[in-house]
Amino acid sequence: MTRVAFLGLGAIGRPMAQRVAAAGFELTVWNRTAGRAQAFATHVKSRAAATPAAAVRGAGVVIACLPTSGDVASLLDGPDGVLAGIAPGALFVDCTSGDPAGSRRIAARLAERGVGFLDAPVSGGTSGAEKGTLTVMVGGDAAALERARPVLESFGRKIVHCGDVGAGDAVKAMNNAMLAIHVWSTGECLAALARMGVDPKVALDVINASSGRSNTSENLFPERVLTRAYPRTFRLALLDKDIGIAAQVAREEKVASPVLQLTAELFRLAHAELGEEADHVEAVRVIERLAGQEIA
Ligand code: NDP
């Protein structure tokens, strides 16, 4: 069976790697904070490597899941880097929600060593990773995707080839731009209704049986905003990064995109105000402050 290396055991990388091990692949993990990889390897059948080079040595498929394409690129070089250990013929699958230009640069560096590359960001959240029901959007060579598919199937239910390298990143960025727009627009609408005296539970009950509904109105607001629970599953900093990529793609493609550009600016502000550890749904706190109105 293919040997797999997994680089990056963050909020979503950790349950994804757990699924890879549970599917029976021989797994080596690496994480920047070494203690997290060691803790993982004590609970999950795998080996913790001390460096990226050691993790990828002998692996047929290498998966990365880091915050940005820049972070992935920073792992390539040096005596402990990926390029020092990876074998020609291996396949590097980047599940980071990256940026298309960054992925193309990484693919070119790996190609010089005879290593294939797929951008393969995921959607479905940490709970989808735990259940193995993620959507995986893939850019790159279709034959390479078929090689990676058995590994991707350990955490993904819907695996879609979107186009050339960078296409997976672009689809992911646009999906998350729509999530950001839903969070912001739902927040503003419910704040206005709350000011009028409409109970947000009643408003969501109506909206979720009507045409304004979304995953945000059906799940995120009832579970996180009305309860004020705000569990930290997907950092606001990462959604800010994603909508920034979406806005940049639209600008580069010369597509008029005032809503994308404005939403990118709003999430930049929310990120600056709430910091690195806030969850993405906590952007609602900023909406409430601007509105001078709490939703619940
Ligand atoms: P986290 O912030 O929880 O974890 C980030 C991981 O990357 C950690 O393992 C961290 O290591 C490591 N890391 C950060 N910077 C570097 C660096 N410069 N070099 C090496 N390692 C680094 O992120 P998530 O797991 O939530 O997200 C990972 C990717 O998946 C992101 O692109 C995100 O947008 C995407 N994503 C996340 C989802 C979610 O629900 N969380 C859903 C869908 C996509 P350390 O332990 O040392 O801090």
Side-chain angles (χ1 to χ4, degrees), residues 2-296:
T2 311
R3 285 175 66 182
V4 178
F6 203 107
L7 313 176
L9 302 173
I12 198 152
R14 189 170 45 245
M16 288 165 68
Q18 211 159 346
R19 299 283 314 183
V20 172
F25 292 100
E26 193 182 326
L27 178 66
T28 305
V29 295
W30 173 83
N31 192 67
R32 180 180 62 178
T33 304
R36 295 201 174 121
Q38 283 151 6
F40 180 92
T42 60
H43 293 109
V44 178
K45 190 160 179 276
S46 58
R47 190 174 64 83
T51 64
V56 304
R57 205 161 277 130
V61 172
V62 175
I63 300 180
C65 192
L66 303 183
T68 68
S69 294
D71 295 326
V72 177
S74 76
L75 297 190
L76 295 181
D77 295 309
D80 294 335
V82 168
L83 290 169
I86 201 162
L91 183 57
F92 191 99
V93 181
D94 191 3
C95 291
T96 302
S97 300
D99 66 278
S103 281
R104 285 191 285 268
R105 282 194 292 272
I106 294 166
R109 297 286 318 281
L110 291 166
E112 290 166 8
R113 296 289 177 90
V115 174
F117 176 90
L118 297 169
D119 48 304
V122 300
S123 184
T126 52
S127 61
E130 283 157 17
K131 289 182 277 193
T133 58
L134 293 175
T135 298
V136 190
M137 37 213 115
V138 183
D141 180 48
L145 167 56
E146 291 319 306
R147 273 178 60 206
R149 192 178 286 277
V151 183
L152 299 180
E153 279 175 341
S154 63
F155 51 76
R157 184 161 62 189
K158 187 173 179 72
I159 300 165
V160 182
H161 186 233
C162 299
D164 295 339
V165 170
D169 288 334
V171 174
K172 171 66 187 177
M174 293 305 170
N175 175 78
N176 278 25
M178 292 172 70
L179 163 65
I181 291 164
H182 287 150
V183 169
W184 206 279
S185 60
T186 307
E188 287 189 359
C189 291
L190 289 188
L193 288 169
R195 177 75 57 80
M196 271 186 71
V198 178
D199 182 337
K201 282 199 201 74
V202 171
L204 284 172
D205 187 35
V206 172
I207 290 162
N208 288 334
S210 304
S211 47
R213 71 185 181 278
S214 64
N215 180 56
T216 298
S217 66
E218 288 180 328
N219 296 307
L220 296 181
F221 270 63
E223 291 167 12
R224 302 180 181 211
V225 178
L226 298 196
T227 60
R228 317 301 287 185
Y230 292 122
R232 295 185 171 179
T233 60
F234 176 45
R235 292 187 298 121
L236 174 62
L238 295 171
L239 186 55
D240 172 24
K241 174 255 311 178
D242 293 334
I243 174 96
I245 294 169
Q248 186 178 354
V249 167
R251 284 196 304 276
E252 284 169 3
E253 298 299 330
K254 302 202 178 347
V255 171
S257 55
V259 173
L260 285 181
Q261 306 305 324
L262 173 61
T263 311
E265 182 63 24
L266 292 169
F267 274 80
R268 238 190 327 273
L269 289 174
H271 176 187
E273 184 167 325
L274 299 175
E276 292 309 307
E277 295 308 320
D279 186 70
H280 66 302
V281 184
E282 292 187 76
V284 171
R285 296 189 200 277
V286 176
I287 299 167
E288 290 177 323
R289 184 183 61 70
L290 293 171
Q293 175 67 51
E294 289 209 338
I295 290 168

